[in-house]
Amino acid sequence: MATTDIGPPDYKEMLPEVIAKNYGKWKYHEDIKPGVLKHVSETGDEAFTVRCGSPRLVSVDLIRDLCDIADKYCDGHFRFTSRYNPEFITPNKDNIEPIIAAIEKIGLPVGGTGRGISNMIHTQGWIHCHGAATDASGVVKAIMDEMYDYFVGKKTLPQKLRISLACCLNMCGAIHATDLAVVGVHTRVPTIDHEHMTVLCELPTTQASCPTGAIRKHPDPNIKSVTVNDDKCMYCGNCFTVCPAMPIAHAEGDGIAIYVGGKVSNARKAPMFSRLVIPYIPNNPPRWPEVTSVLKNIVEVYASNAHPFERVGEWIERVGWERFFKLTGIPFVEQNIDDFELARDTLRTTTQFKW
Amino acid sequence: MDDKTPMMDELEKGPWPSYVKELKKAAKKSDAAKDLIKVQERSFEEKMTMWKHGGIVGVAGYGGGVIGRYISRPEEFPNVQAFHTLRINHPSGWFYKTDRLRELLDVWEKHGSGLCNFHGSTGDIIFLGTTSEHLQPIHDEITAIGWDLGGSGSDLRTPTGCVGPARCEYACIDTLDFIYNITMEFQNELHRPPFPYKTKIKASGCPNDCVAAIARADFSIIGTWHDNLRIDQDGVKEYLDSGFDVQGLVVNKCPTNALEMVNGKLELAWPEDCVRCMHCINMMSKAIRPGVDKGATILVGAKAPVIHGACLSSVIIPFMKMEPPYTEFKELWLKAMDWWDENGRTRERISELIDRVGMRMFLRAIDVEPVPQMVYRPRANPYVFFDKGV
């Protein structure tokens, strides 16, 4: 049997020399130009970072191409950011332009720093997930093609703007607290395969999985299965997660919802959840044009209305959600009003509002 | 069968790097990757996933780290009939030395599709797509070269931290060392799912929280400081001389109005009002720095929506020193895990248990006294328990 529990490699083996030497001694940093950072140490040392985008779903060949660049210019070291961006770090300023040229040669865009749009956090989608209500990589590719100028710094925004995508309500990856969140949604109740229910599923777990208590034991004691109260089902798909005999995916019912205004940083305002602004857009592969145009509109309205350094959520909280819907032209519909467990917290209990 | 994939081909166009090009690179060497392109095209046509509900697969001695995946139409896509995923625990801070990484990639190319994610949502390297008989050889070969699997299922998921002191002047704690230390300490909890459901630990070096710890980790460790931020007036003068609007963009935007410009100097006029939000430091990193009495705020309970709605973590320990071997943190975490393990229902995250039985029960279980920093405001309702008497 193989060795077990050896854990990951020690990070100390992986650090470039300039990082190891100045570990914990960094004094300040500057954005030199889009995609390039300069960090200055108490020791007087400087480290230059070149950041680029990647599609996240990559071949070993692309990672080897990145290794080649690191071998040539960065003494065999590189890293990734929390948003899938490869970074090349060098103490040698003269390496910046050759690194940029090498990155562009393998087809990756340099950028993702400062007041723009960095890479999208996203999930697996139809590439690999059984519960996906939409694709991930394909939608992300379509959105990032549209947002490209904000990544490479050709266009800037009042503050950084983060876009994320989750292909179902599980929202893997802090999708619920991001400036623009793209979320795969089902809109039809699950079907029940009574015949295979006891083979595939544990009934109490299946019942307990429902957030609204819509799933009950089948009233006929001879049928070892469950029933769904359609009126209580809000299509979260959690029953399918625990019980394969309750498929919920539906070609015409599945689609995308857009949530807006979340953030995780504590800067200025406390972290915020993203809020539902568009409950449903049908899946329209390969480029999801309705989704990209909606996002482009929100980004542009934010760009021309927010104060400098306001995140999307801070801007909306300042002007009011009623102004947000007016400025973006997005229709306000019944799904925008919460009716889950903490709904009352979102109702307006004051006469103060804007027309 | 028609092998044309017009919708996939469309996504090779456009300025953003194309994952379809990556799939096609992998397809030159792997029949599974070739089939995966067809699977994706079929999903685009039918607007549905082609993948079946999981399956129990794994490697000897572990209960996690591998996610089973099978195609729903094996006759149409025989080369991805089984297309399992492995999670490989990343080094802290996602730093790599190329020779070590190349060794790892070679194992994957030999045994799998050659497709991967750098990285998955948990922070792991994801190896995407192999068959059951390759799983054990992959594990044997990666451990032989010093790598190991990450977490999945009802275990401690792979802990993740930000770049921290390696390359960030904001870092108030050593996120890389902390993450590596607890990852090594809790290998058993990471590899053999012992809990009611998944649980996560993420660490950010400062309140900017670049790994979103507060939004997605049951235990969110966020660097902060207990004294006053440090202002270098020469640095302030440099910003003023460059024409930067210190009053408008920094002083006026301080959320608690703790800063003031006095005779050309930037003063923390009301230090007791500073809530260490990072805005002024973010704006003027050459002139303003965190204090020197550094540690972390420990917050508990973040998770995504399922089941009872998304939660952000809330303050449990306002300030904890974070020095190796992190004994205080480990004891706290183990107490919390014991209580959750004892009281949690299947698939109930710790915040849902706290909501079900009350925060006071959690605080008692972990021996932590209530403090006002834990809440925005006290309760307004009169439904109060006195189960310990008055």
Side-chain angles (χ1 to χ4, degrees), chain A residues 119-163:
Chain A
N119 208 342
M120 282 178 68
I121 293 288
H122 65 95
T123 55
Q124 300 289 16
W126 292 334
I127 278 285
H128 206 243
C129 188
H130 66 292
T134 188
D135 188 38
S137 304
V139 194
V140 166
K141 165 69 176 148
I143 293 170
M144 287 308 292
D145 276 343
E146 188 69 50
M147 301 297 173
Y148 183 79
D149 286 354
Y150 296 103
F151 184 88
V152 296
K154 278 189 194 154
K155 291 183 188 166
T156 56
L157 292 167
Q159 179 60 292
K160 64 179 170 188
L161 188 150
R162 297 290 176 250
I163 313 179

Side-chain angles (χ1 to χ4, degrees), chain A residues 5-75:
Chain A
D5 299 308
I6 63 167
D10 188 337
Y11 66 95
K12 290 192 275 299
E13 290 172 39
M14 302 289 179
L15 301 177
E17 194 186 338
V18 66
I19 294 296
K21 193 177 154 208
N22 295 285
Y23 196 93
K25 295 177 190 159
W26 298 105
K27 200 172 169 195
Y28 68 89
H29 77 275
E30 291 174 319
D31 289 27
I32 297 185
K33 62 178 191 173
V36 184
L37 305 171
K38 172 186 169 184
H39 284 79
V40 180
S41 165
E42 308 265 14
T43 65
D45 285 359
E46 295 174 341
F48 299 92
T49 301
V50 182
R51 182 181 294 172
C52 56
S54 92
R56 190 181 94 130
L57 174 51
V58 295
S59 64
V60 290
D61 304 289
L62 185 81
I63 303 298
R64 288 186 184 129
D65 288 343
L66 296 173
C67 288
D68 288 344
I69 297 173
D71 285 343
K72 193 160 180 195
Y73 300 106
C74 302
D75 207 16

Side-chain angles (χ1 to χ4, degrees), chain B residues 243-258:
Chain B
F244 179 75
D245 181 8
V246 176
Q247 181 69 42
L249 296 178
V250 180
V251 175
N252 293 354
K253 285 184 181 288
C254 171
T256 56
N257 300 313

